[in-house]
Amino acid sequence: MDTHDSIHTHILSNPSSNDLLVAARALQNGELVAIPTETVYGLGANGLDAEAMDKIYAAKGRPSDNPLILHVPSIDSIRPLVKAIPKTAYQLMETFWPGPLTITLPKSDLVPYRATGGLERVALRCPDHDICRQLLSLAGVPIAAPSANISGRPSPTTAQAVYEDMNGRILYIVDAGPCSIGVESTVVEVQEDAVIILRPGGITKEMLETVVSTVTYDKALSSDAKPKAPGMKYKHYAPDAPMTAFVGNAQDVAIAIDKYVHSLTRQQGEIVSHDFVHIAKACNVGYLLSKEVYEALQPTILTDVPVNCIHVYGHHGDAVSLAHDFYSALLSFNEAKVTHIIAEGVQPEGLGVAVMNRMEKASGGHIEYL
Ligand code: AMP
Ligand code: MG
């Protein structure tokens, strides 16, 4: 957008301690800096400065009632930001911080409503990423940082992907290589000795249950109930092309995809033939698959599909690899300008719950459990 073109965006690759100091100063001065974390890249601003946070909403085109997460370098640094730290919340922090767990707690007066979308609770997280924590310590203020993408688009897991969306809109991108996890943090609300998961993420329900006996999902995750996490109501993570996903054993998924691709060719008015080269050319599909399903389809419908339209994430059912590769695969399909995306999902268990929550949104609910 031309309105943002006055800012020149620098990528700080292999950031030295001096680079981090420069980035920290920019944050203190109310500028935007994209920061690496273990989940996805964040679009950082001083979390105590309402005007600085306004810039986040403007750069992303983010709805103003969608609250931000404040990032801190340690448990101790949240004390001025909250009214109190309940025992259960403290236990969770001690167990899972630094890590992909965001906890909402009643905010102190120090935290502007701009950080919380007008809510009384503030969301807090300590990232498991050395460079990020060094930067947070140098900045000396909590850093508000939603994912560093334009709202609605897939989240960036590399500095290059941040640059694609944010060039001309922010001052610095701190490049620390690809994010290790690849999907956003788990967001929880702590109530006495129970925990409600508002958004599934890198810390699973099973992991939380090792610390707290009662862990439930917010009703809004599986129904149309009003979500406690306002951001969950918005369209998210969407690739440019419509996406359809399949979950099941590898053989069933391969059969279903083969059938689906034939139906796509028919819809496009092409003569149905068993000439697979013809099929690949007729529909410009991006495929996100496990090794097993890729191997099953390689001799048939994947013959002659260009390499930039195929992304193989790992073995069948490997939620960790799928989480790691998911957003970057969607972005590479955008670049390849595919007209359809076919993805193989995983069972919604463990980290699979977080990945399938993103896949559900990215596909507009077009997931077939076989
Ligand atoms: P993002 O940083 O883009 O992944 O978005 C942060 C998300 O955290 C929001 O969209 C909400 O879903 C959630 N969140 C942040 N603050 C709160 C809060 N005070 N209460 C409930 N959910 C929150
Ligand atoms: Mg986001």
Side-chain angles (χ1 to χ4, degrees):
M1 242 189 277
D2 347 349
T3 48
H4 300 277
D5 277 352
S6 50
I7 304 178
H8 182 70
T9 303
H10 300 265
I11 300 184
L12 303 172
S13 305
N14 303 314
S16 64
S17 44
N18 192 51
D19 283 341
L20 293 184
L21 210 54
V22 168
R25 289 261 157 74
L27 286 164
Q28 289 165 345
N29 291 335
E31 298 296 343
L32 298 183
V33 176
I35 62 171
T37 80
E38 79 279 31
T39 58
V40 302
Y41 272 78
L43 183 58
N46 182 345
L48 301 181
D49 177 345
E51 274 178 37
M53 288 183 281
D54 279 341
K55 294 183 186 171
I56 291 181
Y57 287 90
K60 279 180 66 83
R62 185 177 175 96
S64 60
D65 66 344
N66 191 355
L68 305 172
I69 296 172
L70 297 192
H71 295 74
V72 292
S74 64
I75 299 181
D76 269 348
S77 39
I78 74 165
R79 291 187 194 284
L81 309 174
V82 296
K83 289 218 163 89
I85 308 178
K87 190 163 152 259
T88 309
Y90 196 82
Q91 283 170 338
L92 289 173
M93 291 173 200
E94 275 201 318
T95 311
F96 298 112
W97 280 12
L101 180 68
T102 297
I103 301 178
T104 71
L105 291 175
K107 76 173 199 71
S108 72
D109 292 341
L110 193 63
V111 177
Y113 281 109
R114 203 74 196 94
T116 67
L119 300 172
E120 292 303 330
R121 282 178 172 255
V122 58
L124 299 156
R125 177 166 111 78
C126 176
D128 185 14
H129 193 290
D130 286 344
I131 292 179
C132 180
R133 281 204 315 281
Q134 275 178 50
L135 181 58
L136 296 172
S137 296
L138 288 170
V141 287
I143 298 300
S147 48
N149 52 289
I150 290 175
S151 268
R153 288 181 24 93
S155 303
T157 56
T158 62
Q160 199 49 45
V162 176
Y163 189 79
E164 297 289 325
D165 273 16
M166 291 296 149
N167 180 24
R169 296 169 186 235
I170 66 177
L171 209 49
Y172 297 112
I173 299 171
V174 177
D175 180 0
C179 301
S180 57
I181 296 181
V183 291
E184 295 84 350
S185 61
T186 305
V187 180
V188 299
E189 181 176 312
V190 178
Q191 292 181 340
E192 304 280 317
D193 51 4
V195 161
I196 305 169
I197 300 176
L198 306 183
R199 176 177 76 180
I203 300 293
T204 64
K205 181 169 186 275
E206 294 75 13
M207 290 160 84
L208 293 166
E209 280 165 348
T210 62
V211 179
V212 187
S213 53
T214 314
V215 182
T216 52
Y217 287 108
D218 184 21
K219 285 191 197 70
L221 286 171
S222 54
S223 71
D224 288 336
K226 185 171 181 286
K228 281 174 179 250
M232 297 302 285
K233 69 179 185 241
Y234 294 111
K235 186 166 175 261
H236 260 81
Y237 323 119
D240 294 344
M243 172 169 153
T244 304
F246 298 90
V247 183
N249 72 49
Q251 200 187 0
D252 290 348
V253 170
I255 293 168
I257 291 178
D258 180 277
K259 245 171 104 179
Y260 183 70
V261 171
H262 278 83
S263 78
L264 276 181
T265 0
R266 265 196 301 272
Q267 276 169 30
Q268 297 192 317
E270 299 287 334
I271 304 150
V272 192
S273 80
H274 291 285
D275 171 358
F276 293 112
V277 175
H278 177 84
I279 288 175
K281 293 216 169 100
C283 41
N284 182 13
V285 176
Y287 295 89
L288 175 58
L289 305 172
S290 71
K291 276 196 178 77
E292 288 74 10
V293 170
Y294 168 74
E295 276 160 19
L297 294 174
Q298 205 286 325
T300 57
I301 56 167
L302 298 182
T303 305
D304 225 41
V305 173
V307 282
N308 62 344
C309 294
I310 301 179
H311 189 109
V312 179
Y313 57 79
H315 285 294
H316 177 75
D318 180 354
V320 173
S321 300
L322 179 55
H324 183 269
D325 290 9
F326 184 59
Y327 290 128
S328 58
L330 298 191
L331 291 171
S332 73
F333 294 148
N334 282 356
E335 215 160 282
K337 300 207 177 342
V338 301
T339 53
H340 293 85
I341 296 171
I342 295 177
E344 175 190 351
V346 294
Q347 296 298 339
E349 298 155 2
L351 186 63
V353 177
V355 194
M356 294 315 291
N357 166 269
R358 304 327 186 254
M359 209 177 253
E360 184 86 30
K361 292 185 170 226
S363 67
H366 290 133
I367 301 183
E368 266 189 51
Y369 286 89
L370 304 166

